[in-house]
Amino acid sequence: MNMTIISGFTALTVAGIMTALKNEIIFTDCLTGLYNREYLEFLHKRACNKKDCWVSGIMIDLNGFKQINDNYGHAEGDLALCIAADLLLKSFSEYGVVTRYAGDEFVIMLNTTDDQLIQKIIKSAKKNFVTENEKNDKLYQLSASMGYAITNLSNETIDDFMNRIDERMYQDKMKYYEHNCLLYTSPSPRDP
């Protein structure tokens, strides 16, 4: 075989590998190893180019994350983010793409628009957080608020869709804090 052909083939192979690595670095969150917001934007642009495109997604925010950083330090906060990322991958990777959106917020773009299935996997994900808390020896509990929506991008912009799943996540967060405040302030049966 001609050395020029081999050299050209090797150069193309190396260029391909370098491009793939560059894309992986661009689209990967360095702390959690999840896809990042750049990749989410890439998915959104790709979806918007399709006609009559149905999408579904979940916005997730860790509950009480600021207290983990404040009480145990940022290294422990980073560890909590990594644990949460693993739980989200375990819960959702079969059904879609898990991304770290910002800070302690995550977005999952799902490959299903089945409302009942989405509710089922959200319930399962929340149970995975409870199971993790039961088996680890952390001084804090990890939990997450989740909001989801299904839309046709012919009828709603991606920004409106993202705002809607964010709003639904905050509704779930309010329920979480209302419930936990009631638990915290409720008198015990022995109190007068």
Side-chain angles (χ1 to χ4, degrees), residues 5-121:
I5 294 172
I6 294 172
S7 297
F9 179 74
T10 303
L12 285 174
T13 302
V14 170
I17 291 169
M18 295 303 288
T19 301
L21 288 172
K22 181 181 172 190
N23 286 341
E24 186 175 327
I25 291 168
I26 291 170
F27 290 140
T28 303
D29 176 64
C30 63
L31 176 65
T32 63
L34 297 177
Y35 286 112
N36 61 18
R37 193 170 184 162
E38 284 295 317
Y39 188 70
L40 185 62
E41 295 296 327
F42 168 77
L43 292 178
H44 289 167
K45 286 176 187 172
R46 195 168 71 181
C48 289
N49 290 333
K50 297 178 182 177
K51 292 185 188 246
D52 198 37
C53 181
W54 285 89
V55 297
S56 58
I58 304 169
M59 176 76 74
I60 299 170
D61 187 78
L62 298 182
N63 297 319
F65 181 71
K66 183 180 182 316
Q67 285 74 28
I68 295 172
N69 276 333
D70 290 351
N71 295 331
Y72 305 104
H74 289 279
E76 189 64 33
D78 287 350
L79 179 59
L81 285 171
C82 291
I83 292 169
D86 287 343
L87 290 170
L88 295 176
L89 279 173
K90 176 182 175 184
S91 302
F92 296 110
S93 63
E94 178 181 345
Y95 304 100
V97 177
V98 181
T99 62
R100 183 173 178 205
Y101 189 64
D104 65 322
E105 291 182 327
F106 303 86
V107 172
I108 290 90
M109 295 305 296
L110 299 166
N111 56 23
T112 182
T113 56
D114 182 331
D115 191 72
Q116 289 182 334
L117 177 60
I118 295 169
Q119 290 180 41
K120 179 181 170 186
I121 58 179

